[in-house]
């Protein structure tokens, strides 16, 4: 089945984020530190907070900050349009898994051509993190997933109630923010998502 990614939302401290991740990381394949407004030192504090509570480094992906990912020896880095080029990162840091955020078919094809290991596509459904911006929807996701050979991870407004729709459209996995980190019971939500995305019955 698919892979499950949990993504920070920029509205929690490193310790708050880590406190939740301590209990939900067993259900995730990847934990993304996506803190766009923070300095390298502040992003590094998120990495060390996760490591301190027992999140394995091979599950941690750092958004944009290749330097932080490389210095702390974590699994990978998620690049955006303003980040370093995929090819350059692959060449200089061959041990890092490199994801690339894309917003359409041409960008997804370019990410694949440049050597990205996977792409993150969204936002699929309406989401509070992008108010007033129309979602790109399941149909475009289906088109992109069929057109590229690298895994396409769907992001944006995804929760246990709609995750199956994106998997049926061809997504290789889902990335979730608010549905986990603002849930009344993050562990229960993580378990529900893991059962849907990974096809596992979790006790």
């Amino acid at each position: 089945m698919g892979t499950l990614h949990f993504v920070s939302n920029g509205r929690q401290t490193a310790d708050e984020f880590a406190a939740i991740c301590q209990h939900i990381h067993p259900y995730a394949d990847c934990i993304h530190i996506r803190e766009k407004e923070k300095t390298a030192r502040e992003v590094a504090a998120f990495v060390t907070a996760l490591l301190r509570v027992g999140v394995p480094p091979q599950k941690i992906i750092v958004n944009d900050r290749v330097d932080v990912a490389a210095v702390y020896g974590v699994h990978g880095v998620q690049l955006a349009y303003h980040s370093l080029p995929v090819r350059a990162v692959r060449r200089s840091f061959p041990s890092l898994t490199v994801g690339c955020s894309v917003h359409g078919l041409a960008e997804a094809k370019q990410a694949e051509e440049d050597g990205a290991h996977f792409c993150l596509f969204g936002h699929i459904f309406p989401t509070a993190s992008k108010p007033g911006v129309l979602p790109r929807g399941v149909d475009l996701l289906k088109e992109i997933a069929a057109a590229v050979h690298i895994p396409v991870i769907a992001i944006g407004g995804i929760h246990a109630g709609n995750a199956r729709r994106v998997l049926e459209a061809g997504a290789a996995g889902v990335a979730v923010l608010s549905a986990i980190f603002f849930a009344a019971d993050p562990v229960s939500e993580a378990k529900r998502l893991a059962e849907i995305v990974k096809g596992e019955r979790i006790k």
Side-chain angles (χ1 to χ4, degrees), residues 2-6 27 158-164 167 174-180 186-200 202:
T3 57
L4 183 54
H5 301 239
F6 296 149
Y27 309 109
I158 298 173
H159 49 74
N162 59 23
R164 201 168 266 111
L167 296 170
V174 302
V176 182
L177 292 82
S178 301
I180 287 288
V187 174
S188 292
E189 185 69 10
K191 285 181 180 177
R192 288 176 66 205
L193 278 160
E195 288 185 353
I196 294 164
V197 176
K198 297 164 171 292
E200 300 170 355
I202 295 170

Side-chain angles (χ1 to χ4, degrees), residues 137-151:
V138 174
D139 290 342
L140 184 52
L141 168 64
K142 190 171 186 177
E143 184 182 350
I144 290 171
V148 298
H149 297 96
I150 57 174

Side-chain angles (χ1 to χ4, degrees), residues 68-134:
V68 176
V71 166
Y72 286 87
V74 299
H75 178 61
V77 65
Q78 179 70 29
L79 302 176
Y81 66 92
H82 59 262
S83 304
L84 290 168
V86 170
R87 285 181 192 274
V89 175
R90 285 289 313 268
R91 186 170 58 247
S92 297
F93 301 97
S95 65
L96 286 178
T97 293
V98 179
C100 186
S101 298
V102 303
H103 304 95
L105 181 57
E107 288 182 19
K109 287 182 173 178
Q110 188 65 54
E112 179 176 50
E113 188 180 317
D114 290 344
H117 292 99
F118 66 91
C119 64
L120 209 60
F121 170 70
H123 58 294
I124 306 298
F125 302 112
T127 170
S129 64
K130 299 207 187 281
V133 182
L134 283 175

Side-chain angles (χ1 to χ4, degrees), residues 3-10 12 17 21 24-25 28-36 43 46-47 50 55-57 59-64 74-79 97-101 118-121 153-155 173-177 181:
T3 57
L4 183 54
H5 301 239
F6 296 149
V7 185
S8 74
N9 52 58
Q12 290 167 315
F17 179 65
C21 290
I24 64 171
H25 80 81
D29 296 287
C30 296
I31 305 279
H32 293 241
I33 299 170
R34 185 191 196 205
E35 299 292 318
K36 298 180 179 181
V43 172
F46 272 72
V47 176
L50 290 182
V55 176
K59 284 191 176 185
I60 300 173
I61 291 181
V62 177
N63 188 273
D64 188 43
V74 299
H75 178 61
V77 65
Q78 179 70 29
L79 302 176
T97 293
V98 179
C100 186
S101 298
F118 66 91
C119 64
L120 209 60
F121 170 70
I153 310 301
I155 190 170
V174 302
V176 182
L177 292 82
F181 293 105

